[in-house]
Amino acid sequence: MNANRDTEQHLPTGCGAIRKLLIANRGEIAVRVMRTARAMGISTVAVYSDADANALHVREADEAVRLGPASARESYLDVDKVIAAARLSGADAVHPGYGFLSENATFVQALHAAGIIFVGPPESAIAAMGDKSAAKARMQAASVPLVPGYHGDNQEDGLLKSEADRMGYPVLIKACAGGGGKGMRVVENTVDFQAALESCRRESRAAFGDDRMLIEKYLTQPRHVEVQVFCDAYGSGVYLFERDCSVQRRHQKVLEEAPAPGLTSALRREMGEAAVRAAREIGYVGAGTIEFLLDAPDAGSEQHGAFYFMEMNTRLQVEHPVTEMITGEDLVEWQLRIARGEPLPRQQDELRLEGHSFEARLYAEDPDNDFLPATGLLERFRLDLAGAGLDASQVRLDSGVAEGDEVSMHYDPMLAKLITFGPTREQALEVLLRALAALEVRGVTTNRAFLTRLAAHEDFRTARLDTRFIERHHASLF
Ligand code: ADP
């Protein structure tokens, strides 16, 4: 034990041996993190609210600690309760998953004060990216291209409006503290600006307790292309290629894929290197994602359009599995190895991109009723791969629920993610369509049929993608 302590003393701050891991999350991501922890011989601790006492992530863990009542504020979002659970269970590390406390600098600080490892970046990196304005200023310093716009401290209404007038409409007003598409509005012309600004400020005050705004030129047909990066505690960074997440509904991703179709290897490298530069600029450690907007090329041009930094997510992303499929790497294993002080598992030139992968997010919601969240008893939930002529090398189902579970209204309605692989995009898409057909869900309304219509759409098949895909094809999708 003393020998162990000695080696640990030479590790960078926030790193150390991990024997027991608490997963401060629920649903599919908690289950997914546990799978890798188990494979690495690390024992797992689940946390749960009263609504989740019998949830799949609790059943899968070696032990479990109750946090509190169903409301997220009193359970999964309560810093003190999660820290107390980590102490009580004797966990030496906490994996935050995504959402909840994953990008909360105060939480990271409290863990460090308690001598517990946070499987994620240093608190300073979270803080640097938590504010969209400050993040843009940092990225400018690292020569990462930005969407033209205004991200200054002067927040007078009149000034923001004259900036918008100067850059020309349409513009996008965005909450500096924003996330999840909240506090964001497109403004088509100068007369609508003031009212839109006021409504963004109100929404942002309510959601984030902050009403500072930034203004960006609104790109009318961009693609959302994001780069997966990893940095270790010794200053090295690599990119694990990109994902295209252009198919969104209300700025929320629905279908994702890797690699981004049609990207040249030169552009892939350019974006990858910009992403690593961005991460290193803020002293990043661990898994992170740099989100870019890729503008449409000029009409008739053979060239791709420009790419612009949008934001960095300082955590594992929902859609990380498509990256795992095309690289053959386990991103949670990378996170855990880096958190215990190991250098990056691979160098850039050792990383290979092979094949194509899709992810479809299965939600308990009703697309025919304005996507209202659905609840109920999951009477049936099966994926008959063999019956569909598929196998486990082609399809992965990351699920937070199992047949017989109750789906409540307390949390995010995402039930599971269907991830597929094929040697080519066409083949991976064919697998996706067959897997969606082979997925049997009864008892709870889901978006399965909607996902099928999306994936089967001619413009999706031919990769004519941009962030307004769903909006544009509304008539044929509903
Ligand atoms: P949030 O943090 O709330 O998710 P983001 O800044 O990541 O907000 O933007 C979410 C989505 O909004 C993007 O994926 C993209 O579809 C759209 N978007 C953001 N900025 C722009 C822009 N300048 N022009 C066009 N679309 C944008």
Side-chain angles (χ1 to χ4, degrees), residues 132 172 174 179-181 184 216-217 219 224 248 251 311 467:
K132 286 187 205 269
L172 186 65
K174 261 189 206 182
M184 204 155 95
E216 279 176 5
K217 179 85 194 149
L219 309 179
H224 172 122
Q248 306 180 345
H251 306 304
E311 66 170 350
T467 57

Side-chain angles (χ1 to χ4, degrees), residues 94-423:
V94 169
H95 192 300
Y98 50 72
F100 294 129
L101 298 173
S102 61
E103 291 177 286
N104 184 319
T106 313
F107 178 57
V108 178
Q109 200 172 24
L111 280 173
H112 287 160
I116 298 166
I117 298 165
F118 175 67
V119 183
E123 131 207 5
S124 56
I126 297 180
M129 286 300 173
D131 183 284
K132 286 187 205 269
S133 265
K136 289 184 84 167
R138 291 294 289 272
M139 292 304 103
Q140 205 157 27
S143 311
V144 177
L146 301 180
V147 190
Y150 173 79
H151 55 267
D153 290 332
N154 189 332
Q155 285 288 314
E156 281 167 53
D157 287 12
L159 178 97
L160 295 185
K161 181 155 185 303
S162 64
E163 287 291 338
D165 289 345
R166 196 168 55 82
M167 70 187 83
Y169 293 87
V171 301
L172 186 65
I173 306 178
K174 261 189 206 182
C176 298
K182 288 206 188 80
M184 204 155 95
R185 285 239 184 337
V186 181
V187 188
E188 298 290 348
N189 55 58
T190 184
V191 294
D192 297 336
F193 187 85
Q194 185 60 27
L197 178 62
E198 281 165 24
S199 113
C200 283
R201 289 218 207 261
R202 256 194 318 275
E203 197 173 311
S204 179
R205 258 197 309 271
F208 315 108
D210 179 318
D211 67 0
R212 287 168 309 123
M213 295 290 146
L214 60 89
I215 316 284
E216 279 176 5
K217 179 85 194 149
Y218 182 69
L219 309 179
T220 48
Q221 277 207 322
R223 285 164 66 184
H224 172 122
V225 176
E226 57 181 37
V227 177
Q228 176 70 57
V229 296
F230 263 93
C231 298
D232 62 22
Y234 309 96
S236 299
V238 292
Y239 59 91
L240 280 76
F241 315 112
E242 78 289 341
R243 302 180 281 259
D244 191 314
C245 312
S246 298
V247 180
Q248 306 180 345
R249 199 181 68 84
R250 299 205 178 132
H251 306 304
Q252 302 266 26
K253 299 159 189 167
V254 182
L255 276 183
E256 298 106 335
E257 63 185 290
L263 226 64
T264 61
S265 49
L267 179 57
R268 171 165 300 123
R269 190 168 66 236
E270 210 184 314
M271 293 179 80
E273 286 172 357
V276 171
R277 219 162 48 234
R280 294 183 61 161
E281 163 70 21
I282 57 161
Y284 202 77
V285 179
T289 294
I290 315 284
E291 297 189 335
F292 292 109
L293 286 174
L294 180 60
D295 207 357
D298 293 331
S301 162
E302 292 291 302
Q303 286 288 310
H304 62 77
F307 65 90
Y308 305 103
F309 170 84
M310 197 165 32
E311 66 170 350
M312 176 171 192
N313 291 319
T314 53
R315 53 167 164 81
L316 193 68
Q317 301 270 94
V318 175
E319 59 274 20
H320 76 276
V322 293
T323 299
E324 299 187 318
M325 295 301 242
I326 60 155
T327 58
E329 305 294 333
D330 179 332
L331 270 48
V332 175
E333 181 188 336
W334 278 51
Q335 286 190 295
L336 292 168
R337 288 173 64 172
I338 288 166
R340 65 188 185 197
E342 290 178 36
L344 284 171
R346 289 191 202 284
Q347 303 301 310
Q348 193 64 57
D349 60 6
E350 297 171 327
L351 287 162
R352 295 275 171 276
L353 188 172
E354 201 187 305
H356 204 95
S357 177
F358 287 97
E359 174 182 279
R361 300 187 185 196
L362 185 75
Y363 283 97
E365 64 183 15
D366 186 358
D368 299 327
N369 189 6
D370 204 20
F371 292 86
L372 210 68
T375 59
L377 178 70
L378 205 50
E379 287 159 21
R380 209 165 164 88
F381 186 59
R382 286 183 199 182
L383 178 62
D384 179 10
L385 281 188
L390 298 168
D391 65 53
S393 71
Q394 297 168 292
V395 182
R396 162 173 161 189
L397 183 66
D398 279 17
S399 181
V401 293
E403 198 168 285
D405 284 356
E406 189 74 37
V407 176
S408 79
M409 42 131 202
H410 297 291
Y411 314 105
D412 184 89
M414 194 176 76
L415 297 178
K417 305 180 310 205
L418 193 58
I419 303 123
T420 69
F421 181 80

